[in-house]
């Protein structure tokens, strides 16, 4: 995973230490609840992406998409949609329908991806799905 974190850091992503603290229960995003989950995408022995989320009460949401990342050379072939779909299934199992995600306003690619999968603007830095299971349905159609 160190290789993919090295790529992500260059894009302003998270650090290995921050991610480990998140999953070890030492780092708690505002209003975060347990449990937390991460799904990874592999091609052969290579990690090409991941998505992580947790339950929350932030902004009256049930869940929060914490991170999603796909290696630059593997983008635009459906990996992120597949990861989002799997996270949507997990949130559905947790009975968490309203899910939010923080995204930098300048990250137009991420915003377009989330909107394409059913998210709506909540405020300048946040998008929300009123029913995240719709993200799973959208990802099947894209």
């Amino acid at each position: 995973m160190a290789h993919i974190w090295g790529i992500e850091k260059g894009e302003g992503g998270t650090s290995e230490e921050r991610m480990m603290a998140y999953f070890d229960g030492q780092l708690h995003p505002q209003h975060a609840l347990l449990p937390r989950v991460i799904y990874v995408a592999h091609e052969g022995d290579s990690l090409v992406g991941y998505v992580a989320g947790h339950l929350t009460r932030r902004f009256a949401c049930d869940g929060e998409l914490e991170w999603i990342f796909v290696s630059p050379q593997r983008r635009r072939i459906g990996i992120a949609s597949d990861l989002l779909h799997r996270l949507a299934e997990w949130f559905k199992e947790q009975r968490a329908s309203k899910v939010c995600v923080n995204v930098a306003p300048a990250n137009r690619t991420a915003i377009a991806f989330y909107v394409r999968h059913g998210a709506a603007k909540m405020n300048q830095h946040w998008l929300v799905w009123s029913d995240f299971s719709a993200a799973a349905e959208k990802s099947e159609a894209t």
Side-chain angles (χ1 to χ4, degrees):
M1 289 189 86
H3 174 71
I4 202 166
W5 276 314
I7 296 168
E8 184 186 10
K9 283 182 201 176
E11 296 188 348
T14 192
S15 69
E16 182 177 1
E17 295 79 24
R18 183 173 171 81
M19 190 173 277
M20 294 300 290
Y22 172 80
F23 286 106
D24 286 343
Q26 303 302 312
L27 173 71
H28 303 286
Q30 194 175 50
H31 304 289
L33 305 171
L34 297 175
R36 297 167 183 185
V37 68
I38 185 170
Y39 294 102
V40 296
H42 291 271
E43 288 182 344
D45 292 336
S46 299
L47 176 67
V48 296
Y50 60 85
V51 67
H54 58 269
L55 301 180
T56 191
R57 292 296 171 247
R58 189 190 308 228
F59 299 119
C61 290
D62 303 313
E64 184 174 333
L65 190 166
E66 184 68 17
W67 297 298
I68 188 166
F69 180 81
V70 175
S71 297
Q73 66 274 19
R74 304 306 300 149
R75 292 181 183 165
R76 302 201 180 276
I77 61 169
I79 294 170
S81 293
D82 290 345
L83 288 166
L84 193 73
H85 173 79
R86 182 61 195 113
L87 185 64
E89 290 175 351
W90 182 81
F91 277 125
K92 187 175 181 180
E93 292 166 7
Q94 303 302 311
R95 295 184 172 89
S97 60
K98 186 178 179 185
V99 175
C100 56
V101 62
N102 178 282
V103 60
N107 192 342
R108 295 174 192 241
T109 302
I111 293 169
F113 172 78
Y114 295 136
V115 168
R116 190 170 61 251
H117 288 85
K121 185 175 180 178
M122 179 190 309
N123 62 39
Q124 182 181 4
H125 296 278
W126 289 85
L127 298 174
V128 64
W129 288 266
S130 58
D131 181 2
F132 197 62
S133 63
E137 294 164 10
K138 291 255 184 201
S139 67
E140 289 175 355
T142 58

